[in-house]
Amino acid sequence: RALVADLLRRQGRPGDAADELASVVDGDRATPGLRRLVGEMELEAGRNERARDLLLASLEAEPRDRRTLLALAEAWRRLNASDEARTTIDRLLASHPQQADLWRTRLLFEEFAGDGARAVVTRWQAAMPDFVPALEAQLTIHDVAGDSDAAEAIAQRITTLAPGHAQAELRLVDAKLKRDPDEAIAHVERLLAAAGDEQAKRNLRQLLGRTFDRAGQPDAAAATWAELHAEVVGQRLPLPPVSDLHGDWPEPATLEQPAPAVLLLWGAPGSLVERLATVLDANGAPLRADRLGPNPPHDLFQRYTTVPALADGSADPSALVAEWRAALPARGIADGQVFDWLLWWDNAVLRALRPHLPEATLLVAIRDPRDMLLDWLAFGSPAPFALESPEVGARWLARVLGQVADLHEAELLPHRLLRMDEIANDPGAITQALADTLGIGLRGVPPSRLGGSRFPAGHWRAFSESLADAFAVLGPVARRLGYAST
């Protein structure tokens, strides 16, 4: 039965898979692991109440199982059962006060950094006084409340317990920058000199670049970041090819009858497209991010060879789209409705999409191209593309964004441009902009889900001399996309 259920699930039939095991899982001898497995199938099938019951039974038997807890939290979220979640987790915490995952999940059902969250974190710290994640939660609450002195004190305590802790060290550096920028730089350099692990050294060098930036030393910041990228070029993905196609597009097909929605999500490095993906994923959208993972699909949107093959006419556009459709069930999409987060974009794929995938809409995250390059340089990108130098990155980015401008100006494909410039650090604004763009309702996500703060719009101007050559390359495409020259 388990083998049959696994086959059904792999075919994109989670409900049938769960039904196959229903008689077994309802027995008194069903193990917590089996209940969790079937509960996950029920959740995947959208049968949320049944999923909740099975996962809750599994968690009651094994409260330390993180996988069960995460799945149950999703079931509660879908059922809008926050009160039930709080009551259940509080009861389990009474018996298992040292179980960190229970505390983390409990916080999911409180307003971010609100009074309820404060009370939970206070209880967590009382139960686990020197536990760094509990202190991290307290640090976040102090920061949101604007209590900088208390936040600094917590950060100092964290670094005592966990020397080199990135978030806490950054908080201490921020505090020092306000008082004495030179001392902040010296502080990071001392940490760097004492670091033994190579990855820790790289993280500290990136932090040193940010410290140089905050201290008003853009030349030193840019040089530090560029050096970090240059050192690992051989360990990164090569930049995707870019075609020179500017016309000769096939006629777009007409959608004869309603079809499942296909959203193609893409953004170049530095666009913060990952923040759109986070909001979609947190809302249970059929987002597939597997192209950026260890087991990506092998299809037209993944292979670099797609671009030259479509550009020179050696590829069969219809076969490429058929191949993409055929792979959807194995990616967990049974009904054809998919939000596919793409690794790269090139207008060459229009030769396949216009005649053979008329239901597709492309959503592109953009910012001022110069801010995008700076963000890529300082923070990297979700797809680990090689950045040999700022100038090389700028030339590639200019060509890719030039294609976006072509597509937008000529309406070559149904698409939306979502400008992230003014909303990049505001989760609520990102959620609203995405909801408005797609015409759907979306719930907000806590700021912690988006990662740390990024540079504000227009920060590239602080580097106008340090990165002058790279920004000169990006100036023309920035104007095409509606951004000011200076």
Side-chain angles (χ1 to χ4, degrees):
R1 284 179 178 270
L3 288 172
V4 171
D6 185 58
L7 286 172
L8 290 169
R9 190 179 191 181
R10 288 173 181 269
Q11 292 171 359
R13 300 162 59 191
D16 292 339
D19 291 342
E20 182 67 28
L21 294 173
S23 62
V24 179
V25 80
D26 287 337
D28 294 337
R29 298 176 63 184
T31 65
L34 181 60
R35 287 197 172 100
R36 180 197 66 203
L37 176 65
V38 181
E40 290 173 334
M41 292 175 179
E42 296 283 11
L43 194 63
E44 193 174 339
R47 301 189 313 210
N48 301 319
E49 292 186 358
R50 174 68 172 161
R52 185 266 316 277
D53 294 343
L54 288 167
L55 292 165
L56 182 56
S58 177
L59 188 68
E60 296 277 8
E62 183 44 80
R64 296 175 178 83
D65 190 272
R66 174 182 292 184
R67 182 171 153 184
T68 301
L69 187 57
L70 290 175
L72 180 56
E74 174 61 16
W76 277 325
R77 184 190 67 77
R78 293 184 186 181
L79 293 168
N80 294 314
S82 296
D83 289 343
E84 178 186 324
R86 287 189 283 264
T87 300
T88 302
I89 297 173
D90 283 344
R91 176 168 50 79
L92 291 172
L93 281 169
S95 303
H96 302 86
Q98 303 293 309
Q99 187 57 30
D101 287 333
L102 286 172
W103 288 110
R104 291 189 182 97
T105 306
R106 179 65 179 79
L107 281 171
L108 294 177
F109 295 94
E110 297 292 347
E111 180 186 355
F112 178 75
D115 292 341
R118 285 174 175 270
V120 172
V121 171
T122 298
R123 291 166 49 205
W124 189 5
Q125 285 190 272
M128 306 175 74
D130 291 327
F131 189 53
V132 169
L135 293 169
E136 290 172 344
Q138 186 67 65
L139 174 60
T140 298
I141 284 176
H142 286 317
D143 270 335
V144 171
D147 192 347
S148 57
D149 290 341
E152 187 176 352
I154 292 290
Q156 188 64 62
R157 185 177 173 193
I158 291 173
T159 58
T160 301
L161 295 168
H165 185 283
Q167 180 190 6
E169 293 291 3
L170 181 59
R171 187 65 187 74
L172 293 177
V173 167
D174 285 343
K176 292 178 185 294
L177 279 166
K178 295 174 183 176
R179 296 191 293 263
D180 186 345
D182 290 338
E183 171 54 27
I185 293 170
H187 176 76
V188 178
E189 288 177 334
R190 286 194 296 270
L191 292 173
L192 185 56
D197 178 74
E198 285 302 316
Q199 186 56 49
K201 287 182 178 180
R202 288 189 59 81
N203 291 340
L204 285 167
R205 287 166 66 196
Q206 185 185 50
L207 176 58
L208 181 61
R210 293 181 63 186
T211 307
F212 281 135
D213 170 48
R214 292 283 303 278
Q217 300 183 34
D219 289 352
T224 300
W225 293 325
E227 185 179 65
L228 283 167
H229 281 282
E231 289 173 358
V232 294
V233 165
Q235 303 167 33
R236 298 290 186 259
L237 291 175
L239 295 174
V242 184
S243 71
D244 292 319
L245 295 177
H246 296 288
D248 189 24
W249 308 116
E251 288 297 313
T254 301
L255 196 60
E256 300 295 342
Q257 56 187 6
V262 173
L263 181 75
L264 305 175
L265 174 66
W266 177 77
S271 66
L272 297 182
V273 64
E274 62 270 25
R275 300 195 164 186
L276 301 182
T278 296
V279 172
L280 289 171
D281 184 60
N283 278 271
L287 178 72
R288 288 299 173 267
D290 47 353
R291 297 186 183 282
L292 284 74
N295 298 300
H298 188 66
D299 61 15
L300 82 159
F301 290 120
Q302 196 74 16
R303 296 188 296 263
Y304 280 16
T305 54
T306 298
V307 173
L310 281 170
D312 65 19
S314 62
D316 179 347
S318 176
L320 290 176
V321 173
E323 177 189 44
W324 173 81
R325 290 188 192 277
L328 291 180
R331 300 173 65 196
I333 298 293
D335 59 2
Q337 180 170 299
V338 58
F339 292 6
D340 203 344
W341 184 3
L342 305 184
L343 178 67
W344 50 260
W345 173 263
D346 189 280
N347 283 354
V349 300
L350 295 173
R351 290 188 167 178
L353 301 187
R354 283 168 63 93
H356 303 296
L357 197 63
E359 64 268 38
T361 296
L362 176 67
L363 175 60
V364 181
I366 64 167
R367 298 164 73 192
D368 186 311
R370 293 153 298 195
D371 277 328
M372 290 171 66
L373 179 65
L374 181 61
D375 191 282
W376 185 9
L377 189 64
F379 299 99
S381 64
F385 292 132
L387 183 57
E388 183 179 336
S389 70
E391 293 75 24
V392 170
R395 288 193 291 271
W396 178 81
L397 200 57
R399 295 185 66 196
V400 171
L401 294 177
Q403 290 205 358
V404 172
D406 289 343
L407 183 147
H408 183 62
E409 292 164 0
E411 288 287 343
L412 300 177
L413 187 78
H415 71 282
R416 303 287 187 277
L417 301 186
L418 203 160
R419 297 182 185 272
M420 300 287 287
D421 304 86
E422 303 300 333
I423 63 174
N425 294 309
D426 186 339
I430 291 174
T431 301
Q432 189 60 55
L434 186 55
D436 292 344
T437 297
L438 299 180
I440 58 177
L442 295 171
R443 294 179 304 276
V445 300
S448 58
R449 288 287 300 272
L450 299 185
S453 180
R454 296 298 181 87
F455 299 137
H459 192 62
W460 69 270
R461 293 182 178 87
F463 291 77
S464 57
E465 294 184 6
S466 309
L467 298 173
D469 292 343
F471 289 163
V473 172
L474 291 169
V477 74
R479 289 190 292 273
R480 286 187 68 192
L481 291 171
Y483 294 97
S485 300
T486 59

